Amino acid sequence: MNVLILLALILFVLMKVIGGEKGTRSFLALFFNFGIMLVTIILMTDQAINPILLTIIACILISCINLFYINQFNFKSLTAFVSTILTLILLIFAVFVLVEKSKIQGFGIEEIEELLSFSFYVGIDFGDIIICTIIMGTIGAITDTAISISSAMNEIYFHNPTLDRYQLFKSGMTVGKDILGTTTNTLFFAFIGGYLALIIWFKDLGYSLGEVLNSKVFASEAMSIFYTGTGAILIIPITAWLSAYSMVKYKDKVRSGEAE
């Protein structure tokens, strides 16, 4: 516990020194997001509440905190929020097909021995739970990408107000391509870091490559990573187009500094 408190203090000090007021808000946002996720998980045990709808509401609230609380309510955060919602709507339709075709819900055979003493009759559809897990895991990546592109395009247009929509869109896509490279690598290394023990376990069990790829534990996490990566890709043109359209349309507000 003392180590956790010490690490939290170090994180807060660094965020405060480097990020200033926004760094402080970012630190507090971590606890707000944790609170939303905790309440969401607790409410999922209530059979009268649809867990998927509950997750969507939680994702919207998390987006509001990450965009409006940290960056305040302005032109770029509003554009990023709308882009996030549009991308989330597209991804929600895709996730139902993904889960239905892949059959990744539930537990893998590697986990059965540890779970034998527990009852699986918890009154919750595991298909809904895996959908909620995938959607929740995606929201952070798409909001991060959306605000990065929107903020960069806002700065570009503020200093180059003669750009038309197409030129501004191309600039946003260029920024997005650079972000995409780092985002996909971040997702990959997050997977490797979080599941390194699982990979070593597969090796000790003597699994072949085919058995690893078809393992429900591995496949569910891998598909979640691919799904999140897809969301991070889709939001790039959506944010770039929406930012280009709205910034040119409301250029007086951007130039007057209201975008900041």
Side-chain angles (χ1 to χ4, degrees):
M1 181 61 71
N2 292 334
V3 176
L4 289 176
I5 295 175
L6 178 61
L7 289 175
L9 288 175
I10 293 174
L11 178 63
F12 172 73
V13 171
L14 291 175
M15 294 179 73
K16 177 66 176 179
V17 171
I18 297 175
E21 183 182 352
K22 185 173 289 188
T24 303
R25 291 198 298 267
S26 299
F27 182 80
L28 294 176
L30 294 173
F31 295 94
F32 295 151
N33 289 333
F34 175 77
I36 291 175
M37 293 185 65
L38 182 61
V39 172
T40 301
I41 294 171
I42 293 174
L43 292 178
M44 280 184 181
T45 59
D46 188 342
Q47 298 182 22
I49 302 176
N50 187 311
I52 298 176
L53 179 60
L54 183 64
T55 300
I56 294 173
I57 294 173
C59 287
I60 294 174
L61 292 176
I62 290 172
S63 299
C64 290
I65 292 173
N66 292 343
L67 296 173
F68 297 132
Y69 175 70
I70 295 176
N71 299 285
Q72 298 183 328
F73 190 88
N74 50 47
F75 197 87
K76 57 189 177 186
S77 59
L78 180 60
T79 303
F81 178 75
V82 175
S83 301
T84 299
I85 298 302
L86 292 176
T87 305
L88 191 61
I89 291 173
L90 294 175
L91 292 174
I92 287 172
F93 288 107
V95 73
F96 284 97
V97 178
L98 172 67
V99 173
E100 175 64 26
K101 296 295 183 181
S102 62
K103 305 297 183 182
I104 57 175
Q105 67 270 20
F107 301 99
I109 58 174
E110 298 84 4
E111 303 167 296
I112 295 299
E113 184 178 351
E114 301 174 2
L115 298 171
L116 285 177
S117 59
F118 298 97
S119 172
F120 292 96
Y121 297 99
V122 293
I124 301 176
D125 189 335
F126 285 106
D128 291 344
I129 295 301
I130 192 64
I131 290 175
C132 295
T133 302
I134 294 174
I135 294 175
M136 187 70 75
T138 305
I139 193 65
I142 61 177
T143 54
D144 179 64
T145 304
I147 192 61
S148 297
I149 296 174
S150 178
S151 180
M153 291 181 67
N154 180 84
E155 193 69 16
I156 291 170
Y157 191 64
F158 184 81
H159 294 287
N160 300 275
T162 57
L163 295 176
D164 58 25
R165 283 196 177 99
Y166 179 71
Q167 292 172 322
L168 191 56
F169 175 77
K170 285 185 63 178
S171 298
M173 290 299 294
T174 300
V175 173
K177 291 175 184 177
D178 293 336
I179 295 173
L180 178 61
T182 57
T183 300
T184 52
N185 276 283
T186 299
L187 294 173
F188 172 74
F189 287 113
F191 169 74
I192 294 297
Y195 282 81
L196 183 60
L198 176 64
I199 296 173
I200 295 174
W201 188 26
F202 283 152
K203 178 184 178 299
D204 291 339
L205 291 173
Y207 275 24
S208 65
L209 179 60
E211 289 174 321
V212 171
L213 295 178
N214 285 283
S215 170
K216 185 174 289 188
V217 178
F218 179 87
S220 61
E221 184 63 24
M223 288 184 183
S224 179
I225 294 297
F226 291 144
Y227 182 84
T228 303
T230 301
I233 294 171
L234 283 177
I235 202 167
I236 291 174
I238 293 175
T239 306
W241 178 84
L242 188 61
S243 296
Y245 176 82
S246 57
M247 286 178 185
V248 172
K249 184 175 181 179
Y250 301 104
K251 58 184 178 181
D252 292 337
K253 292 184 177 181
V254 177
R255 287 299 296 167
S256 66
E258 290 184 27
E260 298 297 327

PDB file of all heavy atoms in Angstrom, residues 163-189:
ATOM      1  N   LEU A 163      -6.301  27.791 -45.540  1.00  0.00           N
ATOM      2  CA  LEU A 163      -6.488  26.405 -45.989  1.00  0.00           C
ATOM      3  C   LEU A 163      -7.959  26.112 -46.237  1.00  0.00           C
ATOM      4  O   LEU A 163      -8.832  26.544 -45.468  1.00  0.00           O
ATOM      5  CB  LEU A 163      -5.951  25.429 -44.934  1.00  0.00           C
ATOM      6  CG  LEU A 163      -4.440  25.446 -44.660  1.00  0.00           C
ATOM      7  CD1 LEU A 163      -4.113  24.476 -43.526  1.00  0.00           C
ATOM      8  CD2 LEU A 163      -3.664  25.072 -45.911  1.00  0.00           C
ATOM      9  N   ASP A 164      -8.240  25.404 -47.334  1.00  0.00           N
ATOM     10  CA  ASP A 164      -9.622  25.000 -47.574  1.00  0.00           C
ATOM     11  C   ASP A 164      -9.877  23.649 -46.914  1.00  0.00           C
ATOM     12  O   ASP A 164      -8.992  23.068 -46.284  1.00  0.00           O
ATOM     13  CB  ASP A 164      -9.921  24.941 -49.074  1.00  0.00           C
ATOM     14  CG  ASP A 164      -8.992  23.986 -49.828  1.00  0.00           C
ATOM     15  OD1 ASP A 164      -8.471  23.043 -49.194  1.00  0.00           O
ATOM     16  OD2 ASP A 164      -8.784  24.186 -51.037  1.00  0.00           O
ATOM     17  N   ARG A 165     -11.087  23.145 -47.058  1.00  0.00           N
ATOM     18  CA  ARG A 165     -11.453  21.917 -46.367  1.00  0.00           C
ATOM     19  C   ARG A 165     -10.600  20.732 -46.800  1.00  0.00           C
ATOM     20  O   ARG A 165     -10.185  19.935 -45.970  1.00  0.00           O
ATOM     21  CB  ARG A 165     -12.928  21.594 -46.622  1.00  0.00           C
ATOM     22  CG  ARG A 165     -13.889  22.449 -45.813  1.00  0.00           C
ATOM     23  CD  ARG A 165     -15.285  21.834 -45.816  1.00  0.00           C
ATOM     24  NE  ARG A 165     -16.189  22.614 -44.996  1.00  0.00           N
ATOM     25  CZ  ARG A 165     -17.050  23.516 -45.469  1.00  0.00           C
ATOM     26  NH1 ARG A 165     -17.096  23.752 -46.771  1.00  0.00           N
ATOM     27  NH2 ARG A 165     -17.838  24.188 -44.644  1.00  0.00           N
ATOM     28  N   TYR A 166     -10.326  20.612 -48.097  1.00  0.00           N
ATOM     29  CA  TYR A 166      -9.557  19.478 -48.590  1.00  0.00           C
ATOM     30  C   TYR A 166      -8.127  19.517 -48.066  1.00  0.00           C
ATOM     31  O   TYR A 166      -7.580  18.489 -47.648  1.00  0.00           O
ATOM     32  CB  TYR A 166      -9.565  19.461 -50.118  1.00  0.00           C
ATOM     33  CG  TYR A 166      -8.752  18.322 -50.700  1.00  0.00           C
ATOM     34  CD1 TYR A 166      -9.202  17.009 -50.609  1.00  0.00           C
ATOM     35  CD2 TYR A 166      -7.538  18.572 -51.332  1.00  0.00           C
ATOM     36  CE1 TYR A 166      -8.462  15.965 -51.130  1.00  0.00           C
ATOM     37  CE2 TYR A 166      -6.789  17.532 -51.859  1.00  0.00           C
ATOM     38  CZ  TYR A 166      -7.262  16.229 -51.754  1.00  0.00           C
ATOM     39  OH  TYR A 166      -6.516  15.200 -52.268  1.00  0.00           O
ATOM     40  N   GLN A 167      -7.513  20.696 -48.093  1.00  0.00           N
ATOM     41  CA  GLN A 167      -6.143  20.829 -47.597  1.00  0.00           C
ATOM     42  C   GLN A 167      -6.072  20.539 -46.098  1.00  0.00           C
ATOM     43  O   GLN A 167      -5.135  19.884 -45.618  1.00  0.00           O
ATOM     44  CB  GLN A 167      -5.612  22.235 -47.887  1.00  0.00           C
ATOM     45  CG  GLN A 167      -5.403  22.529 -49.360  1.00  0.00           C
ATOM     46  CD  GLN A 167      -5.066  23.988 -49.614  1.00  0.00           C
ATOM     47  OE1 GLN A 167      -5.614  24.891 -48.968  1.00  0.00           O
ATOM     48  NE2 GLN A 167      -4.162  24.232 -50.561  1.00  0.00           N
ATOM     49  N   LEU A 168      -7.074  21.026 -45.381  1.00  0.00           N
ATOM     50  CA  LEU A 168      -7.104  20.791 -43.935  1.00  0.00           C
ATOM     51  C   LEU A 168      -7.333  19.309 -43.641  1.00  0.00           C
ATOM     52  O   LEU A 168      -6.727  18.748 -42.716  1.00  0.00           O
ATOM     53  CB  LEU A 168      -8.209  21.642 -43.302  1.00  0.00           C
ATOM     54  CG  LEU A 168      -8.223  21.742 -41.773  1.00  0.00           C
ATOM     55  CD1 LEU A 168      -6.897  22.255 -41.248  1.00  0.00           C
ATOM     56  CD2 LEU A 168      -9.363  22.656 -41.318  1.00  0.00           C
ATOM     57  N   PHE A 169      -8.197  18.685 -44.437  1.00  0.00           N
ATOM     58  CA  PHE A 169      -8.444  17.249 -44.274  1.00  0.00           C
ATOM     59  C   PHE A 169      -7.165  16.444 -44.522  1.00  0.00           C
ATOM     60  O   PHE A 169      -6.864  15.507 -43.782  1.00  0.00           O
ATOM     61  CB  PHE A 169      -9.549  16.803 -45.232  1.00  0.00           C
ATOM     62  CG  PHE A 169      -9.790  15.317 -45.230  1.00  0.00           C
ATOM     63  CD1 PHE A 169     -10.487  14.711 -44.194  1.00  0.00           C
ATOM     64  CD2 PHE A 169      -9.317  14.528 -46.275  1.00  0.00           C
ATOM     65  CE1 PHE A 169     -10.708  13.334 -44.196  1.00  0.00           C
ATOM     66  CE2 PHE A 169      -9.533  13.159 -46.283  1.00  0.00           C
ATOM     67  CZ  PHE A 169     -10.237  12.562 -45.242  1.00  0.00           C
ATOM     68  N   LYS A 170      -6.419  16.801 -45.555  1.00  0.00           N
ATOM     69  CA  LYS A 170      -5.160  16.109 -45.850  1.00  0.00           C
ATOM     70  C   LYS A 170      -4.164  16.278 -44.702  1.00  0.00           C
ATOM     71  O   LYS A 170      -3.449  15.326 -44.348  1.00  0.00           O
ATOM     72  CB  LYS A 170      -4.552  16.641 -47.148  1.00  0.00           C
ATOM     73  CG  LYS A 170      -5.247  16.172 -48.412  1.00  0.00           C
ATOM     74  CD  LYS A 170      -4.500  16.637 -49.661  1.00  0.00           C
ATOM     75  CE  LYS A 170      -3.108  16.043 -49.728  1.00  0.00           C
ATOM     76  NZ  LYS A 170      -2.394  16.449 -50.962  1.00  0.00           N
ATOM     77  N   SER A 171      -4.126  17.470 -44.112  1.00  0.00           N
ATOM     78  CA  SER A 171      -3.238  17.697 -42.974  1.00  0.00           C
ATOM     79  C   SER A 171      -3.633  16.807 -41.794  1.00  0.00           C
ATOM     80  O   SER A 171      -2.781  16.228 -41.113  1.00  0.00           O
ATOM     81  CB  SER A 171      -3.279  19.165 -42.557  1.00  0.00           C
ATOM     82  OG  SER A 171      -2.831  20.009 -43.604  1.00  0.00           O
ATOM     83  N   GLY A 172      -4.943  16.699 -41.564  1.00  0.00           N
ATOM     84  CA  GLY A 172      -5.420  15.853 -40.484  1.00  0.00           C
ATOM     85  C   GLY A 172      -5.103  14.384 -40.721  1.00  0.00           C
ATOM     86  O   GLY A 172      -4.732  13.656 -39.789  1.00  0.00           O
ATOM     87  N   MET A 173      -5.221  13.939 -41.959  1.00  0.00           N
ATOM     88  CA  MET A 173      -4.900  12.560 -42.294  1.00  0.00           C
ATOM     89  C   MET A 173      -3.411  12.283 -42.126  1.00  0.00           C
ATOM     90  O   MET A 173      -3.017  11.191 -41.707  1.00  0.00           O
ATOM     91  CB  MET A 173      -5.344  12.243 -43.718  1.00  0.00           C
ATOM     92  CG  MET A 173      -6.855  12.165 -43.912  1.00  0.00           C
ATOM     93  SD  MET A 173      -7.630  10.867 -42.908  1.00  0.00           S
ATOM     94  CE  MET A 173      -6.907   9.405 -43.652  1.00  0.00           C
ATOM     95  N   THR A 174      -2.580  13.278 -42.448  1.00  0.00           N
ATOM     96  CA  THR A 174      -1.133  13.115 -42.263  1.00  0.00           C
ATOM     97  C   THR A 174      -0.796  12.942 -40.790  1.00  0.00           C
ATOM     98  O   THR A 174       0.007  12.075 -40.411  1.00  0.00           O
ATOM     99  CB  THR A 174      -0.379  14.330 -42.838  1.00  0.00           C
ATOM    100  OG1 THR A 174      -0.664  14.452 -44.237  1.00  0.00           O
ATOM    101  CG2 THR A 174       1.120  14.169 -42.649  1.00  0.00           C
ATOM    102  N   VAL A 175      -1.420  13.769 -39.954  1.00  0.00           N
ATOM    103  CA  VAL A 175      -1.225  13.640 -38.510  1.00  0.00           C
ATOM    104  C   VAL A 175      -1.729  12.280 -38.034  1.00  0.00           C
ATOM    105  O   VAL A 175      -1.083  11.595 -37.232  1.00  0.00           O
ATOM    106  CB  VAL A 175      -1.956  14.773 -37.764  1.00  0.00           C
ATOM    107  CG1 VAL A 175      -1.896  14.546 -36.252  1.00  0.00           C
ATOM    108  CG2 VAL A 175      -1.356  16.125 -38.113  1.00  0.00           C
ATOM    109  N   GLY A 176      -2.890  11.872 -38.557  1.00  0.00           N
ATOM    110  CA  GLY A 176      -3.476  10.600 -38.159  1.00  0.00           C
ATOM    111  C   GLY A 176      -2.613   9.413 -38.511  1.00  0.00           C
ATOM    112  O   GLY A 176      -2.529   8.442 -37.739  1.00  0.00           O
ATOM    113  N   LYS A 177      -1.963   9.459 -39.674  1.00  0.00           N
ATOM    114  CA  LYS A 177      -1.094   8.354 -40.081  1.00  0.00           C
ATOM    115  C   LYS A 177       0.092   8.206 -39.125  1.00  0.00           C
ATOM    116  O   LYS A 177       0.521   7.088 -38.822  1.00  0.00           O
ATOM    117  CB  LYS A 177      -0.598   8.581 -41.510  1.00  0.00           C
ATOM    118  CG  LYS A 177      -1.691   8.443 -42.564  1.00  0.00           C
ATOM    119  CD  LYS A 177      -1.180   8.806 -43.947  1.00  0.00           C
ATOM    120  CE  LYS A 177      -2.300   8.748 -44.977  1.00  0.00           C
ATOM    121  NZ  LYS A 177      -1.829   9.172 -46.326  1.00  0.00           N
ATOM    122  N   ASP A 178       0.620   9.347 -38.670  1.00  0.00           N
ATOM    123  CA  ASP A 178       1.729   9.282 -37.708  1.00  0.00           C
ATOM    124  C   ASP A 178       1.252   8.711 -36.365  1.00  0.00           C
ATOM    125  O   ASP A 178       1.956   7.917 -35.726  1.00  0.00           O
ATOM    126  CB  ASP A 178       2.328  10.674 -37.499  1.00  0.00           C
ATOM    127  CG  ASP A 178       3.025  11.194 -38.749  1.00  0.00           C
ATOM    128  OD1 ASP A 178       3.448  10.363 -39.573  1.00  0.00           O
ATOM    129  OD2 ASP A 178       3.140  12.425 -38.899  1.00  0.00           O
ATOM    130  N   ILE A 179       0.063   9.129 -35.949  1.00  0.00           N
ATOM    131  CA  ILE A 179      -0.490   8.630 -34.689  1.00  0.00           C
ATOM    132  C   ILE A 179      -0.801   7.141 -34.783  1.00  0.00           C
ATOM    133  O   ILE A 179      -0.588   6.378 -33.832  1.00  0.00           O
ATOM    134  CB  ILE A 179      -1.763   9.414 -34.313  1.00  0.00           C
ATOM    135  CG1 ILE A 179      -1.414  10.878 -34.021  1.00  0.00           C
ATOM    136  CG2 ILE A 179      -2.466   8.786 -33.112  1.00  0.00           C
ATOM    137  CD1 ILE A 179      -2.619  11.755 -33.810  1.00  0.00           C
ATOM    138  N   LEU A 180      -1.283   6.715 -35.954  1.00  0.00           N
ATOM    139  CA  LEU A 180      -1.679   5.319 -36.141  1.00  0.00           C
ATOM    140  C   LEU A 180      -0.521   4.358 -35.886  1.00  0.00           C
ATOM    141  O   LEU A 180      -0.697   3.307 -35.264  1.00  0.00           O
ATOM    142  CB  LEU A 180      -2.213   5.130 -37.569  1.00  0.00           C
ATOM    143  CG  LEU A 180      -2.639   3.712 -37.956  1.00  0.00           C
ATOM    144  CD1 LEU A 180      -3.775   3.247 -37.060  1.00  0.00           C
ATOM    145  CD2 LEU A 180      -3.069   3.670 -39.422  1.00  0.00           C
ATOM    146  N   GLY A 181       0.669   4.730 -36.359  1.00  0.00           N
ATOM    147  CA  GLY A 181       1.828   3.864 -36.175  1.00  0.00           C
ATOM    148  C   GLY A 181       2.139   3.626 -34.715  1.00  0.00           C
ATOM    149  O   GLY A 181       2.380   2.487 -34.293  1.00  0.00           O
ATOM    150  N   THR A 182       2.113   4.675 -33.927  1.00  0.00           N
ATOM    151  CA  THR A 182       2.412   4.532 -32.499  1.00  0.00           C
ATOM    152  C   THR A 182       1.274   3.857 -31.749  1.00  0.00           C
ATOM    153  O   THR A 182       1.504   3.106 -30.802  1.00  0.00           O
ATOM    154  CB  THR A 182       2.702   5.903 -31.872  1.00  0.00           C
ATOM    155  OG1 THR A 182       1.582   6.782 -32.092  1.00  0.00           O
ATOM    156  CG2 THR A 182       3.942   6.535 -32.495  1.00  0.00           C
ATOM    157  N   THR A 183       0.026   4.113 -32.163  1.00  0.00           N
ATOM    158  CA  THR A 183      -1.127   3.521 -31.485  1.00  0.00           C
ATOM    159  C   THR A 183      -1.144   2.008 -31.641  1.00  0.00           C
ATOM    160  O   THR A 183      -1.352   1.270 -30.664  1.00  0.00           O
ATOM    161  CB  THR A 183      -2.443   4.102 -32.033  1.00  0.00           C
ATOM    162  OG1 THR A 183      -2.463   5.520 -31.822  1.00  0.00           O
ATOM    163  CG2 THR A 183      -3.646   3.481 -31.337  1.00  0.00           C
ATOM    164  N   THR A 184      -0.930   1.524 -32.864  1.00  0.00           N
ATOM    165  CA  THR A 184      -0.941   0.080 -33.097  1.00  0.00           C
ATOM    166  C   THR A 184       0.187  -0.602 -32.334  1.00  0.00           C
ATOM    167  O   THR A 184       0.009  -1.698 -31.791  1.00  0.00           O
ATOM    168  CB  THR A 184      -0.822  -0.224 -34.594  1.00  0.00           C
ATOM    169  OG1 THR A 184       0.304   0.484 -35.149  1.00  0.00           O
ATOM    170  CG2 THR A 184      -2.082   0.198 -35.327  1.00  0.00           C
ATOM    171  N   ASN A 185       1.346   0.024 -32.278  1.00  0.00           N
ATOM    172  CA  ASN A 185       2.456  -0.553 -31.522  1.00  0.00           C
ATOM    173  C   ASN A 185       2.160  -0.550 -30.028  1.00  0.00           C
ATOM    174  O   ASN A 185       2.539  -1.487 -29.310  1.00  0.00           O
ATOM    175  CB  ASN A 185       3.744   0.225 -31.802  1.00  0.00           C
ATOM    176  CG  ASN A 185       4.433  -0.241 -33.071  1.00  0.00           C
ATOM    177  OD1 ASN A 185       5.088  -1.277 -33.100  1.00  0.00           O
ATOM    178  ND2 ASN A 185       4.264   0.512 -34.142  1.00  0.00           N
ATOM    179  N   THR A 186       1.502   0.511 -29.545  1.00  0.00           N
ATOM    180  CA  THR A 186       1.128   0.572 -28.132  1.00  0.00           C
ATOM    181  C   THR A 186       0.184  -0.564 -27.771  1.00  0.00           C
ATOM    182  O   THR A 186       0.334  -1.220 -26.731  1.00  0.00           O
ATOM    183  CB  THR A 186       0.465   1.922 -27.812  1.00  0.00           C
ATOM    184  OG1 THR A 186       1.386   2.983 -28.079  1.00  0.00           O
ATOM    185  CG2 THR A 186       0.033   1.984 -26.354  1.00  0.00           C
ATOM    186  N   LEU A 187      -0.807  -0.822 -28.634  1.00  0.00           N
ATOM    187  CA  LEU A 187      -1.747  -1.912 -28.391  1.00  0.00           C
ATOM    188  C   LEU A 187      -1.028  -3.261 -28.390  1.00  0.00           C
ATOM    189  O   LEU A 187      -1.315  -4.130 -27.562  1.00  0.00           O
ATOM    190  CB  LEU A 187      -2.838  -1.902 -29.469  1.00  0.00           C
ATOM    191  CG  LEU A 187      -3.788  -0.701 -29.471  1.00  0.00           C
ATOM    192  CD1 LEU A 187      -4.698  -0.750 -30.682  1.00  0.00           C
ATOM    193  CD2 LEU A 187      -4.604  -0.657 -28.195  1.00  0.00           C
ATOM    194  N   PHE A 188      -0.099  -3.432 -29.320  1.00  0.00           N
ATOM    195  CA  PHE A 188       0.633  -4.693 -29.415  1.00  0.00           C
ATOM    196  C   PHE A 188       1.455  -4.951 -28.157  1.00  0.00           C
ATOM    197  O   PHE A 188       1.386  -6.029 -27.559  1.00  0.00           O
ATOM    198  CB  PHE A 188       1.542  -4.678 -30.645  1.00  0.00           C
ATOM    199  CG  PHE A 188       2.480  -5.847 -30.717  1.00  0.00           C
ATOM    200  CD1 PHE A 188       2.019  -7.105 -31.059  1.00  0.00           C
ATOM    201  CD2 PHE A 188       3.829  -5.694 -30.423  1.00  0.00           C
ATOM    202  CE1 PHE A 188       2.884  -8.199 -31.111  1.00  0.00           C
ATOM    203  CE2 PHE A 188       4.694  -6.764 -30.479  1.00  0.00           C
ATOM    204  CZ  PHE A 188       4.228  -8.020 -30.828  1.00  0.00           C
ATOM    205  N   PHE A 189       2.212  -3.958 -27.728  1.00  0.00           N
ATOM    206  CA  PHE A 189       3.066  -4.157 -26.561  1.00  0.00           C
ATOM    207  C   PHE A 189       2.260  -4.244 -25.270  1.00  0.00           C
ATOM    208  O   PHE A 189       2.694  -4.889 -24.309  1.00  0.00           O
ATOM    209  CB  PHE A 189       4.113  -3.047 -26.479  1.00  0.00           C
ATOM    210  CG  PHE A 189       5.190  -3.160 -27.504  1.00  0.00           C
ATOM    211  CD1 PHE A 189       5.327  -2.223 -28.513  1.00  0.00           C
ATOM    212  CD2 PHE A 189       6.070  -4.241 -27.489  1.00  0.00           C
ATOM    213  CE1 PHE A 189       6.318  -2.340 -29.477  1.00  0.00           C
ATOM    214  CE2 PHE A 189       7.064  -4.371 -28.445  1.00  0.00           C
ATOM    215  CZ  PHE A 189       7.194  -3.419 -29.435  1.00  0.00           C
TER     216      PHE A 189
END
